[in-house]
Amino acid sequence: KKIMEWSQSGWAEEVFTRVYRSLLVRDAWKLEQKILDVLKQRVDLPTTVVIVATHFGIAHQVSTIKKSLERKGNVKVLLIVQVTDDSPQKMWYVPNADSIFVPSEQTKNELQTYKRSEHLAPSHIVVTPYPVSPLLAKALSGNEYDAKHIQADPRSSRRIHISVPLSGAQVGMTYASTLMKVLHHSNERFHF
């Protein structure tokens, strides 16, 4: 974990991005062969193939083989990249992607700055924020506020209601599960 976090900023990110991208590009032909095999198994050949990549590794490989796939498979290939975290890691900029969906303007701006500094091929970046309940933007009534305030009072016996967001990849699930059990065991007021 420490190595991964260290490789996601500063000069380490620069080195990691260049090395990892070159390794992905070098092995992209394997993915190309797998996709062509899938296309050959189809009775009705599609005219367009849409590939949605939720990991930058596959996205970079598809970007590399896209033109070759179109030629060899006689199909139009659209590469859509969905950035799954709101940290503008440089690896998320995928040259020649048809669209890269990012969760914030900040991530979009930082990826565009990186693209310009590295003179990378263009990709269309679209901001689509993660869905957030409109209730979170609504002011609490006096009673609702009081109920939340009482939960935070250490002298209160009221239940403490806690929601724990989980990532789609369920990264950190073991830690979150252990934390919930320990907190509930230490004080039965905690409910998740």
Side-chain angles (χ1 to χ4, degrees):
K1 180 180 173 186
K2 287 181 181 181
I3 292 171
M4 285 303 295
E5 288 175 357
W6 171 75
S7 71
Q8 294 174 354
S9 62
W11 66 268
E13 182 183 15
E14 293 289 334
V15 172
F16 173 80
T17 300
R18 289 175 194 264
V19 169
Y20 192 44
R21 185 181 289 133
S22 68
L23 291 172
L24 291 168
V25 167
R26 189 182 69 195
D27 289 340
W29 65 270
K30 294 175 187 175
L31 180 60
E32 178 181 14
Q33 193 55 53
K34 287 179 183 179
I35 294 172
L36 288 171
D37 288 345
V38 169
L39 287 174
K40 288 177 189 172
Q41 295 172 13
R42 300 283 308 232
V43 175
D44 295 322
L45 287 176
T47 56
T48 304
V49 173
V50 179
I51 299 174
V52 179
T54 59
H55 189 277
F56 50 72
I58 290 174
H60 282 286
Q61 290 184 318
V62 172
S63 171
T64 301
I65 62 175
K66 186 176 167 186
K67 293 289 184 213
S68 178
L69 270 176
E70 289 180 333
R71 190 178 66 256
K72 292 177 182 176
N74 196 29
V75 293
K76 170 86 175 133
V77 175
L78 298 175
L79 173 58
I80 310 300
V81 179
Q82 174 62 62
V83 175
T84 58
D85 53 39
D86 198 15
S87 58
Q89 297 172 28
K90 294 172 179 160
M91 281 300 297
W92 277 116
Y93 186 82
V94 179
N96 297 313
D98 293 284
S99 291
I100 301 174
F101 288 90
V102 299
S104 70
E105 285 291 334
Q106 177 189 353
T107 294
K108 176 182 179 178
N109 293 339
E110 291 196 33
L111 292 179
Q112 286 177 327
T113 298
Y114 173 68
K115 174 214 159 265
R116 285 190 298 273
S117 71
E118 295 295 313
H119 308 290
L120 298 171
S123 292
H124 180 63
I125 301 178
V126 181
V127 176
T128 53
Y130 297 137
V132 176
S133 172
L135 295 175
L136 294 174
K138 185 178 168 189
L140 297 174
S141 71
N143 289 342
E144 291 169 325
Y145 178 82
D146 290 343
K148 302 274 186 216
H149 195 308
I150 289 171
Q151 289 181 47
D153 184 347
R155 296 169 301 210
S156 171
S157 60
R158 280 257 179 94
R159 280 186 174 178
I160 301 170
H161 298 276
I162 302 173
S163 295
V164 180
L166 302 175
S167 75
Q170 297 194 9
V171 173
M173 188 62 198
T174 302
Y175 172 78
S177 179
T178 301
L179 178 65
M180 289 186 281
K181 286 176 188 170
V182 167
L183 285 174
H184 182 71
H185 187 270
S186 70
N187 186 333
E188 291 186 5
R189 292 177 60 206
F190 288 109
H191 286 266
F192 297 88

